[in-house]
Amino acid sequence: CSKKNLVISRSVATTHKPNTTTTMAPNYTFEGDPKHRVSGPGFDRTLYSLAVGAGVGTFFGACNAAWYPDPISTATSSSLLRNVGRMVTRPAMWCALAAGTFTGTECVMEMIRNEKQDAWNSLVAGMAGGSVVGLINGRPQIIAATAIGTGIFMAALDLSGPKTVFDEKALDVKRNGFLPEVHVESAALASLKEKFPQHKDL
């Protein structure tokens, strides 16, 4: 019976593999590739982007209202709240629209191109999101320039990925928590381990 239990425990230990996929946010998965790919239903991704954009815009509007050059002074508190609400709601709406347009366009491009993910999707989605940002000004030349500039920037970001540093191993350690192949302890740390051997494995 003990032999049988030992064999079963060994087989379970060798066949069980921990799940290495880490979920950072809804439908945003990292599967070991530093240049991660976003997966999940397009509707959920778009809603998530809308919420994130609205949050960023709300924070920007709140900061803008707090440090506004001319203090908001009115006779009644209700009008004061309306003025502050306008200053917060406008950037929240535009940021949410820009983020939602970018993600929605990217999802549509993936659907049209049979789930293919590359810089072309980012280019088109960046142009769509940039055109929404340009609509704040309303001038056609500003809209066109913002769309082209944002599209090129997002495509370049997709092509380069996060590894834009000289020491990629140090970046892996910073992002994923992996130790480098050769780890050298400092003299101060070695002396502390000798002084306190009970804590050398910390």
Side-chain angles (χ1 to χ4, degrees):
C1 182
S2 60
K3 263 187 191 177
K4 186 176 180 181
N5 291 339
L6 181 62
V7 171
I8 292 174
S9 63
R10 282 183 179 176
S11 63
V12 170
T14 54
T15 56
H16 177 69
K17 294 182 179 178
N19 186 13
T20 56
T21 302
T22 304
T23 303
M24 304 300 292
N27 305 306
Y28 284 69
T29 57
F30 297 78
E31 299 179 350
D33 183 8
K35 187 180 178 184
H36 67 276
R37 293 300 183 184
V38 180
S39 60
F43 182 74
D44 294 346
R45 288 162 55 184
T46 304
L47 284 181
Y48 182 76
S49 296
L50 284 169
V52 172
V56 172
T58 301
F59 177 76
F60 175 81
C63 294
N64 191 25
W67 282 282
Y68 195 70
D70 299 327
I72 302 172
S73 57
T74 52
T76 60
S77 59
S78 59
S79 56
L80 173 63
L81 290 176
R82 281 197 300 270
N83 291 336
V84 174
R86 279 196 295 267
M87 295 188 68
V88 173
T89 304
R90 180 178 170 84
M93 179 192 69
W94 283 112
C95 288
L97 282 176
T101 302
F102 174 85
T103 306
T105 306
E106 192 175 39
C107 293
V108 171
M109 288 291 294
E110 291 176 12
M111 181 182 63
I112 294 173
R113 305 179 67 218
N114 297 323
E115 304 300 325
K116 188 176 182 180
Q117 295 184 348
D118 55 15
W120 289 107
N121 295 351
S122 299
L123 175 66
V124 177
M127 293 181 69
S131 63
V132 173
V133 176
L135 283 173
I136 299 175
N137 183 278
R139 297 169 60 185
Q141 58 269 32
I142 298 296
I143 297 174
T146 309
I148 294 172
T150 307
I152 293 174
F153 174 76
M154 296 306 298
L157 190 64
D158 187 271
L159 287 172
S160 65
K163 290 195 172 183
T164 55
V165 297
F166 177 74
D167 191 353
E168 293 188 354
K169 290 185 178 180
L171 180 63
D172 286 336
V173 173
K174 184 177 180 181
R175 293 181 68 249
N176 303 319
F178 300 141
L179 290 175
E181 295 176 1
V182 179
H183 178 66
V184 180
E185 293 182 349
S186 63
L189 180 59
S191 63
L192 285 173
K193 285 188 175 182
E194 291 179 1
K195 189 175 180 181
F196 305 100
Q198 67 273 24
H199 303 298
K200 64 180 181 179
D201 296 327
L202 293 178

